[in-house]
Amino acid sequence: MAGDKDTLLSMGFDSARVEWALKATGNRGLQPAMDHILANESKPVPAMDSVSESSGANANDDDDEDAEALRSLGVAAEGAEAKSIKCSQCGKIFKNTALANYHAEKSGHDQFEESTDEVKSLTEEEKKERLAELRAKMAEKRSVQAVKDAEDAKANENLRRKAGKDIHKIKEELKTKEVIKEAEQRRRDKIDDAKARAAIKAQIEADKKARAEKAAKEKALREGRPVEDAGASASASPQVTSAPSSSGVAGKDFKETRLQIRMASGGQPYTTTLSSDSPLSAVAEFIAAQTLDVNVDTVTLSQHFPRKAFARSDFTKSLRELGLTPSAVIIASP
């Protein structure tokens, strides 16, 4: 009926579902149509040509259908004229067999009987009450669904935040490892640079010493003086006699000097071999290249035996001149 269709459309139901409900219930009223919509709201709407109406084309067809339906439900069509069908299990009265069949499918009841009670049409007030009940049921259902959706959204947000925290933690750990790695690489670069500078400076000093000796020899040859051997002159120098090496062989011409350098603060000693013509500053540079705790400009060097503390002026003298050849033990203090 046009009035029932308009009412259902005004309630917000989809037009296709309204057409399906009205056709499936044979246009037998607002309540059957609403019941059909609620019962089938999760099902897709079928093609209208596949939906068979529950009502016949005329009164005779309705009577035949009602009689057949009653027989299938075990209800005898005898006695007084039946105006309705009653469910023996719940007492509800239905206008025709289509509504009784729909009730049987929905409730599972299977015991019906004829009734002489006439099903009255709903008044406008009753329609409004039914409409209000239906809307309340729909609102309650939407409310429950909204709560469920909110809980699902909260759970998903918690999972997203946890995943974000885990990713942030991993990034921070990687960043910290990278910083430590870069710091270690800078430290190694600094030590390598210090070693390279110490080696270059020692080589420069050795070359300078060699050039000076060569120039002295050439000058002596030009002046007709005898050429003095560098090792012999070093053995005759007062510095060597006043500070002989621990091995007692400072007078010999050793080209290299083996050194063991110990830190005054303790720890593993360092060993190296330098040219005997290298200045004492080369020892300081070697130590600075091994540890960041030592500064070339402030480090102090000394010997325990014979006991001696080297002055800053001694840093320009060669290991040979200081009597440290062929080997010696040096104590370094930062």
Side-chain angles (χ1 to χ4, degrees):
M1 298 174 64
D4 294 338
K5 181 178 180 180
D6 293 340
T7 301
L8 292 170
L9 291 176
S10 67
M11 293 170 62
F13 291 118
D14 182 67
S15 176
R17 290 192 175 277
V18 171
E19 292 285 351
W20 179 24
L22 292 174
K23 189 171 183 180
T25 58
N27 293 308
R28 288 185 173 86
L30 180 64
Q31 184 61 40
M34 288 192 294
D35 290 341
H36 183 277
I37 292 174
L38 292 177
N40 298 276
E41 60 181 348
S42 60
K43 299 179 182 178
V45 179
M48 287 297 101
D49 55 1
S50 64
V51 179
S52 59
E53 294 188 3
S54 300
S55 60
N58 50 59
N60 292 331
D61 292 339
D62 286 342
D63 293 340
D64 294 340
E65 183 180 349
D66 291 348
E68 182 64 27
L70 288 173
R71 284 192 295 272
S72 66
L73 294 173
V75 179
E78 299 177 356
E81 181 182 359
K83 296 183 179 179
S84 62
I85 301 173
K86 182 179 180 180
C87 177
S88 302
Q89 294 174 262
C90 65
K92 288 186 177 180
I93 299 175
F94 304 96
K95 185 176 182 181
N96 51 50
T97 55
L99 296 179
N101 285 331
Y102 179 72
H103 174 73
E105 293 176 1
K106 184 178 179 182
S107 63
H109 296 170
D110 57 1
Q111 297 180 20
F112 295 84
E113 60 183 356
E114 291 181 333
S115 175
T116 57
D117 296 333
E118 184 178 0
V119 179
K120 297 180 179 179
S121 301
L122 295 176
T123 64
E124 291 297 325
E125 189 65 27
E126 290 174 335
K127 288 183 179 180
K128 291 180 180 180
E129 290 179 359
R130 292 285 183 88
L131 182 59
E133 291 177 2
L134 181 59
R135 286 176 175 172
K137 289 181 180 180
M138 294 178 65
E140 182 180 0
K141 187 174 182 180
R142 291 192 183 103
S143 177
V144 172
Q145 186 63 37
V147 172
K148 185 177 182 301
D149 292 342
E151 291 176 351
D152 292 342
K154 185 177 180 180
N156 292 335
E157 179 65 15
N158 291 336
L159 290 176
R160 187 190 67 78
R161 289 183 179 180
K162 185 178 183 301
K165 288 180 180 179
D166 293 341
I167 293 174
H168 180 72
K169 183 179 179 181
I170 293 173
K171 288 183 178 179
E172 287 296 324
E173 290 177 353
L174 292 176
K175 184 177 179 181
T176 301
K177 291 181 180 178
E178 189 65 26
V179 170
I180 294 174
K181 183 178 178 181
E182 291 177 357
E184 184 63 25
Q185 184 61 45
R186 286 196 299 270
R187 180 179 178 277
R188 288 196 297 266
D189 293 343
K190 184 176 180 180
I191 293 176
D192 291 342
D193 291 343
K195 288 181 179 179
R197 287 196 300 270
I200 293 172
K201 192 170 183 180
Q203 186 62 45
I204 292 173
E205 292 295 332
D207 293 344
K208 186 188 296 183
K209 185 74 173 179
R211 287 195 300 271
E213 291 178 356
K214 183 179 180 182
K217 290 179 181 180
E218 291 175 350
K219 183 177 180 181
L221 291 173
R222 287 196 302 270
E223 295 177 353
R225 291 184 290 104
V227 178
E228 295 182 359
D229 182 68
S233 61
S235 63
S237 64
Q239 291 86 349
V240 174
T241 56
S242 62
S245 70
S246 60
S247 63
V249 290
K252 294 185 179 181
D253 186 14
F254 294 99
K255 294 182 179 181
E256 294 182 340
T257 300
R258 297 185 301 276
L259 296 174
Q260 185 182 90
I261 305 161
R262 299 178 180 177
M263 300 300 297
S265 57
Q268 188 70 21
Y270 303 101
T271 58
T272 185
T273 300
L274 298 175
S275 171
S276 297
D277 294 324
S278 300
L280 186 61
S281 60
V283 178
E285 291 170 356
F286 170 77
I287 302 172
Q290 306 307 312
T291 173
L292 299 177
D293 297 333
V294 172
N295 188 300
V296 176
D297 298 327
T298 60
V299 66
T300 60
L301 304 176
S302 62
Q303 277 185 297
H304 280 341
F305 183 81
R307 184 174 296 278
K308 179 179 180 180
F310 296 103
R312 298 304 299 183
S313 59
D314 293 331
F315 276 52
T316 59
K317 298 178 181 179
S318 69
L319 302 178
R320 190 193 312 278
E321 291 174 334
L322 296 173
L324 299 176
T325 58
S327 62
V329 178
I330 302 294
I331 308 302
S333 300

